[in-house]
């Protein structure tokens, strides 16, 4: 079983729809949670960054983390055709003793298409 | 544009050969990370350097090695290449080390082994 599971989709929605993207994880040491967007043949671009549990909002994007359920979500409101991309969740955690480490563990990515 | 640069953009080489991928981090960033992205494995962490020292290692093959130079640029060396090494190789950088620091990715090097 992978440490991070993400439904690869593909997901196709009409313009203006609310999109929900999700990841589950198994490693309790994960403390930092990120969402990256990757356009075809480009490098991943950091969208949202959350520490521990809670919600974070940035414009049309909302990230949620539920550590008790080991479940994270990204919501996109008023989706646009320009949001069409692969969305990757990523996580990192702590060594024993509390030192954080920079290795990111990624989900497989969800392919999103927003059609006009 | 993330500010991270990678060269070359594309590389085509034969099995058994050796290649070097180069990465320049964002100005001010001390950490460099290397990742491999393939269709079947997704994005996998290979190795991290912080200010010239190796900081963390992932599932990096023994045929692969990396280093970070005093000017903070990094190189990933891949040797005895196999068909399965064909993938996108990304470099990322962050200002510090550890999960608390945001990582910014470069555009990647697409390696094709024939």
């Amino acid at each position: 079983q992978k440490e991070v599971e993400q439904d690869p989709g593909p997901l196709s929605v009409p313009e203006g729809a609310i999109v929900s993207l999700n990841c589950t994880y198994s490693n309790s040491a994960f403390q930092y949670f990120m969402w990256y967007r990757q356009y075809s043949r480009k490098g991943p671009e950091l969208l949202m960054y959350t520490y521990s549990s809670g919600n974070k909002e940035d414009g049309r994007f909302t990230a949620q983390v539920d550590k008790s359920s080991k479940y994270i979500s990204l919501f996109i409101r008023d989706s646009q055709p320009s949001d069409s991309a692969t969305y990757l969740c990523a996580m990192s955690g702590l060594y024993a003793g509390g030192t954080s480490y920079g290795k990111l563990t990624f989900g497989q990515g969800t392919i999103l298409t927003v059609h006009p | 544009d993330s500010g991270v640069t990678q060269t070359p953009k594309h590389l085509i080489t034969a099995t058994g050969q050796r290649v070097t991928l180069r990465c320049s981090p964002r100005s001010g960033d001390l950490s460099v990370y290397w990742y491999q992205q393939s269709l079947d494995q997704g994005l996998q962490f290979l190795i991290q350097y912080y200010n010239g020292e190796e900081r963390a290692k992932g599932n990096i093959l023994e045929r692969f090695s990396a280093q970070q130079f005093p000017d903070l640029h990094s190189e990933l060396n891949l040797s005895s290449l196999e068909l399965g090494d064909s993938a996108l190789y990304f470099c990322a950088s962050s200002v510090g080390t550890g999960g608390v620091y945001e990582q910014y990715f470069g555009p990647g090097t697409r390696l094709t082994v024939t």
Side-chain angles (χ1 to χ4, degrees):
Chain A
Q1 183 187 2
K2 293 185 176 182
E3 278 189 292
V4 180
E5 299 279 357
Q6 184 177 7
D7 186 342
L11 189 59
S12 181
V13 301
E15 183 175 354
I18 296 174
V19 176
S20 172
L21 304 165
N22 312 293
C23 289
T24 59
Y25 63 95
S26 58
N27 190 341
S28 300
F30 288 144
Q31 297 285 338
Y32 306 98
F33 305 91
M34 301 89 177
W35 285 95
Y36 282 83
R37 177 175 62 194
Q38 186 175 22
Y39 291 113
S40 181
R41 298 181 175 273
K42 301 288 187 184
E45 171 196 6
L46 181 64
L47 278 178
M48 302 281 289
Y49 174 96
T50 310
Y51 170 69
S52 196
S53 285
N55 295 356
K56 187 173 184 179
E57 189 173 320
D58 183 3
R60 297 184 295 112
F61 298 90
T62 300
Q64 290 185 351
V65 175
D66 181 351
K67 290 190 66 183
S68 63
S69 302
K70 295 190 176 66
Y71 187 88
I72 72 170
S73 301
L74 177 71
F75 297 95
I76 307 174
R77 290 183 299 281
D78 188 26
S79 56
Q80 302 295 309
S82 58
D83 295 328
S84 298
T86 298
Y87 289 80
L88 299 148
C89 62
M91 308 177 188
S92 68
L94 300 174
Y95 288 123
T99 303
S100 67
Y101 59 90
K103 165 193 170 183
L104 294 183
T105 302
F106 283 85
Q108 280 291 101
T110 300
I111 300 170
L112 171 68
T113 302
V114 181
H115 50 86
Chain B
D1 185 357
S2 67
V4 178
T5 60
Q6 289 185 248
T7 56
K9 286 186 179 179
H10 302 281
L11 204 46
I12 302 174
T13 190
T15 54
Q17 295 298 305
R18 173 189 168 94
V19 297
T20 297
L21 313 183
R22 183 188 169 102
C23 167
S24 291
R26 294 187 318 158
S27 176
D29 284 358
L30 298 178
S31 269
V32 169
Y33 311 79
W34 286 98
Y35 292 85
Q36 179 192 58
Q37 187 175 39
S38 61
L39 278 174
D40 55 342
Q41 294 292 324
L43 202 53
Q44 300 278 315
F45 169 77
L46 294 178
I47 197 164
Q48 176 197 1
Y49 279 82
Y50 175 74
N51 204 19
E53 293 188 2
E54 182 184 306
R55 184 55 65 101
K57 222 169 185 177
N59 296 326
I60 187 168
L61 299 172
E62 285 192 10
R63 301 183 286 107
F64 295 3
S65 65
Q67 54 185 325
Q68 186 179 27
F69 294 87
D71 67 352
L72 300 177
H73 91 272
S74 177
E75 293 181 356
L76 179 68
N77 300 295
L78 315 176
S79 61
S80 303
L81 285 168
E82 301 175 359
L83 295 177
D85 298 327
S86 296
L88 266 170
Y89 291 84
F90 288 105
C91 167
S93 73
S94 67
V95 65
T97 186
V100 67
Y101 298 102
E102 300 168 14
Q103 293 184 26
Y104 294 87
F105 281 73
T109 293
R110 182 173 295 276
L111 174 66
T112 302
V113 183
T114 62

